[in-house]
Amino acid sequence: MQRKAKRMRAEIIRITDCKKCRREILRAGELLRAGELVAFPTETVYGLGGNALDQNASKKIYQAKGRPSDNPLIVHIAEVESLAKIVVDVPEKVRRLAEACWPGPLTVILPKNGRVPYETTGGLDSVAVRMPDHPVAMALIQAGGGFVAAPSANTSGRPSPTLASHVAEDLGWAIPMILDGGPVGIGLESTIVDFTEEIPTVLRPGAVSLDELRGYVGEVRLDRGLLREDAGIRPKAPGMKYRHYAPKAELTIMAGTDEAVARAINRRIQEGEAARKKVGVLCVSENAALYRGGVCRCIGSRSDGEAIARNLYRCLREFDECQVDAIYSEAFEAPRIGPAIMNRLLKAAGRRVIRCTDEGDEEERK
Ligand code: TXA
Ligand code: MG
């Protein structure tokens, strides 16, 4: 049987200035109102948008991404007041937090009201809501009716898109339009806080840190599933239970001193060369000179956590393009956004970590 090549369907529209591109944004809004899907930039990653109040649009989103339909979508709004229109009640704490952090990389979960179809929430009685800090996203949400359901605009399981070309690669054949706003600013998905629990609970770490959250709402805890997935505790955000953000080749995190990690990775590069296998290395720029051969990608300077966050998914996708057979990554420490970086890297690695010491390497599951 002949396999059909997937043809590009999407019109890709570069938006440099929302005012100048008013007509294009209105056209994208019309598509959303008609139940179609439009991919668009946000400050975190690109989103795949559909009308959140239209169950058929949500179904289309799951279909285009190949995403399990029990994995709920985030509803994007363009005004803080819109939150009250889709949830049962906005508690004082949430109002305070939203006013401080929105627009921005923060998603809150609250009990939903009847306007939000179960197709959008993956069958749950709660809804995730966020107001993105990006002019194109805001203009599109307004033009599209005010409530845009949008998961990250990647094929399910692949690294989230930080460039419009990543969206085209994954979904260009399945959707009619991609708004290209250039590279995103943050590069990792929003912090998700669940307010349906007695104590607000972080389900996914992001650019809004735990300390910042505590400053606004007092006590906040981390979902136990985030801390110890190997103990069989299910993460509460359905999406966090899937292997995710993953490049095609197996990724392993190498932990230890710079010297021990470089020694262990160099050995694997050599073994790879002997077996005609391509080995990818993901490292901070300060360490690039330590590696001998392989396909080396610098993720940014050790002192620049924001750059590491911004470059992570692009680097993982580049390893796919180079068709490496295995990837070894350093572990990255950074203040504020550090936990979010390691959360995504660990998930991409299926939680496989090798501890490198002078005595030898030992595999552990984090
Ligand atoms: O930065 C972001 O949040 C990006 C941009 C496009 O806004 N969106 C994004 O969406 O990352 P997505 O669908 O890739 O991830 C949403 C996560 C999933 O893990 C999902 O399970 C969880 O949020 N989630 C959504 N609604 C939920 C709910 N009601 N209860 C628990 N988890 C929920
Ligand atoms: Mg996603």
Side-chain angles (χ1 to χ4, degrees):
M1 201 175 68
Q2 223 184 346
R3 275 187 61 197
K4 260 199 197 161
K6 284 178 176 171
R7 275 221 224 108
M8 178 65 73
R9 171 180 169 215
E11 184 184 355
I12 302 173
I13 302 178
R14 177 86 177 115
I15 309 271
T16 43
D17 177 331
C18 286
K19 283 204 189 99
K20 283 191 192 138
C21 300
R22 194 74 213 136
R23 274 183 41 205
E24 284 77 7
I25 301 260
L26 287 177
R27 200 147 59 79
E30 280 309 314
L31 281 172
L32 290 180
R33 286 172 193 269
E36 278 295 342
L37 307 185
V38 175
F40 62 98
T42 80
E43 81 281 33
T44 59
V45 299
Y46 274 76
L48 173 61
N51 178 358
L53 308 184
D54 172 353
Q55 59 184 60
N56 290 321
S58 292
K59 281 187 195 157
K60 274 191 194 165
I61 292 178
Y62 290 109
Q63 219 168 31
K65 273 184 68 97
R67 175 174 177 139
S69 59
D70 69 344
N71 189 0
L73 309 172
I74 296 175
V75 179
H76 294 63
I77 56 176
E79 310 168 356
V80 178
E81 295 71 50
S82 301
L83 175 62
K85 297 181 183 156
I86 52 172
V87 300
V88 173
D89 176 48
V90 181
E92 185 43 41
K93 267 186 193 173
V94 176
R95 194 175 302 281
R96 215 179 320 134
L97 183 63
E99 264 154 24
C101 296
W102 281 355
L106 171 81
T107 297
V108 299
I109 296 178
L110 287 170
K112 75 173 193 73
N113 70 19
R115 288 185 77 190
V116 187
Y118 282 109
E119 282 74 8
T120 301
T121 65
L124 298 177
D125 287 313
S126 58
V127 61
V129 187
R130 109 171 175 95
M131 181 167 147
D133 187 13
H134 195 292
V136 176
M138 295 280 251
L140 176 70
I141 296 163
Q142 278 157 354
F147 301 94
V148 175
S152 49
N154 51 286
T155 311
S156 197
R158 288 208 78 200
S160 294
T162 56
L163 292 169
S165 59
H166 297 161
V167 182
E169 208 173 278
D170 282 13
L171 300 171
W173 54 275
I175 60 175
M177 190 182 280
I178 299 171
L179 299 181
D180 177 358
V184 300
I186 294 174
L188 297 179
E189 306 82 350
S190 60
T191 304
I192 302 181
V193 190
D194 184 0
F195 282 90
T196 65
E197 302 269 345
E198 185 92 354
I199 300 166
T201 304
V202 172
L203 305 188
R204 182 175 71 184
V208 177
S209 69
L210 198 56
D211 284 345
E212 258 177 279
L213 290 171
R214 287 181 176 144
Y216 294 121
V217 299
E219 193 179 0
V220 177
R221 61 180 190 89
L222 276 180
D223 183 32
R224 287 170 65 212
L226 275 180
L227 302 173
R228 309 195 39 198
E229 281 185 59
D230 57 344
I233 296 166
R234 277 196 149 202
K236 194 171 175 213
M240 300 300 277
K241 72 177 180 256
Y242 300 107
R243 181 165 180 255
H244 233 141
Y245 319 116
K248 287 170 189 151
E250 189 173 85
L251 168 69
T252 308
I253 299 170
M254 309 295 272
T257 62
D258 288 348
E259 293 70 30
V261 166
R263 204 179 317 120
I265 293 184
N266 281 329
R267 207 182 60 241
R268 286 168 174 82
I269 294 173
Q270 259 183 3
E271 288 165 3
E273 276 167 5
R276 295 182 180 280
K277 299 256 189 242
K278 251 199 223 175
V279 170
V281 181
L282 188 57
C283 64
V284 291
S285 43
E286 288 84 350
N287 288 347
L290 298 178
Y291 297 103
R292 313 256 167 268
V295 177
C296 193
R297 285 282 175 274
C298 291
I299 196 166
S301 167
R302 150 174 297 149
S303 61
D304 190 351
E306 274 67 37
I308 294 176
R310 199 162 53 237
N311 293 327
L312 175 65
Y313 290 144
R314 179 177 52 76
C315 288
L316 294 181
R317 279 181 181 256
E318 284 174 10
F319 285 127
D320 281 350
E321 271 164 41
C322 299
Q323 300 189 316
V324 298
D325 298 287
I327 305 165
Y328 295 97
S329 174
E330 297 176 348
F332 307 111
E333 276 170 35
R336 293 188 306 276
I337 195 136
I341 297 169
M342 284 313 289
N343 169 266
R344 306 311 193 275
L345 195 63
L346 275 163
K347 288 187 81 62
R351 308 195 84 75
R352 210 176 18 264
V353 178
I354 290 181
R355 180 138 309 271
C356 311
T357 64
D358 289 344
E359 282 72 51
D361 311 338
E362 201 182 322
E363 182 162 340
E364 43 185 63
R365 294 243 162 205
K366 282 269 191 173

